[in-house]
Amino acid sequence: MPGDRCPTGIGPVDQLLGGGLETDGLTELYGEGGSGKTLICLQAATRLALDDRWVCYIDTEGVSVDRLEAIAQGRIDQVLQRLLLATPKSLEEQTKAVGAACALARDTKRGIGLIVLDSATFYYRLTLSSDSEDDGRLALGRELAELVATAIGSHIPVLFTNQVWRNQRTGDLEPLGGSFVNHAAKTILRIDRLPGARRRAVLLKHRSLGEAAAEFQITSTGLS
Ligand code: GTP
Ligand code: MG
């Protein structure tokens, strides 16, 4: 149903999001390397899988099974049974994987509970300042548009991560992909690194909630 929430299982993040991911829109996580974007994706996917829901997980980074095992805390077999993992090796393969995930999600008999795209901009970034930059932008735009249509049409939450670049003028870290990506995401969370294992999630955009922040810790079994 529109307006429903899908808990990630990470208390501070769910609280920040008013209960969890919106089920009819895209949620973007952006932040520098090591901030915890992948951990949030893995934890959300694990929670859904343990709730017996299917998860389409598109991974461009080479997800570590050891990490997933630590997060699953003894229930890795149950998690793997519900994870539909795609590991594209190019932007073209990523586009195909997004198309396949959206087709599965639109098929109501399948019971897909979440689509994850981590990271949406790994291969896109490789096209920047090259002859294929326009093609890269178009491919990323089309993927996000298909994900938006699927989220709205099938009320399935979509979680995607985005990498950052340093704006030399302002000194700020900004998400890749420009305004199109920011418009495609109905919810945007920036993840900041704090000293040690501490991290901060900042809610920058939401349909019904104002700007807010929450802190959490990286532990051996994920985030707490
Ligand atoms: P990028 O994908 O590089 O942009 O980073 P990310 O934001 O996805 O960060 P990620 O979630 O991969 O890592 C967050 C933190 O988890 C890192 O700073 C590490 O401290 C920790 N970490 C990374 N890999 C492992 C691992 O295999 N085991 C454990 N326990 N911690 C890890
Ligand atoms: Mg990552």
Side-chain angles (χ1 to χ4, degrees), residues 68-135:
L68 194 57
E69 205 162 6
I71 292 169
Q73 297 186 50
R75 291 187 285 175
I76 186 68
D77 290 345
Q78 207 179 327
V79 172
L80 291 177
Q81 274 173 13
R82 286 287 174 265
L83 222 51
L84 298 166
L85 183 66
T87 55
K89 299 290 183 288
S90 66
L91 191 52
E92 292 73 30
E93 287 187 19
Q94 179 178 314
T95 301
K96 283 185 191 157
V98 167
C102 289
L104 285 170
R106 284 193 295 267
D107 182 349
T108 49
K109 292 193 291 295
R110 301 274 180 177
I112 303 292
L114 173 68
I115 298 175
V116 175
L117 175 56
D118 179 31
S119 132
T121 49
F122 178 77
Y123 293 116
Y124 161 77
R125 180 170 224 155
L126 301 178
T127 70
L128 297 178
S129 304
S130 80
D131 290 346
S132 53
E133 181 166 346
D134 287 347
D135 293 340

Side-chain angles (χ1 to χ4, degrees), residues 1 3-7 14 17-24 157 206 208-209:
M1 291 287 290
D4 278 356
R5 297 285 199 275
C6 168
D14 287 337
L17 296 175
L21 305 170
E22 286 203 312
T23 55
D24 53 350
H206 195 280
S208 57
L209 300 169

Side-chain angles (χ1 to χ4, degrees), residues 10 13 16 20 30 55 73-74 90 95 97 111 134 153 166 193 214:
I10 306 161
V13 173
L16 198 58
Y30 79 88
V55 177
Q73 297 186 50
S90 66
T95 301
D134 287 347
R166 175 81 60 189
R193 290 185 76 141

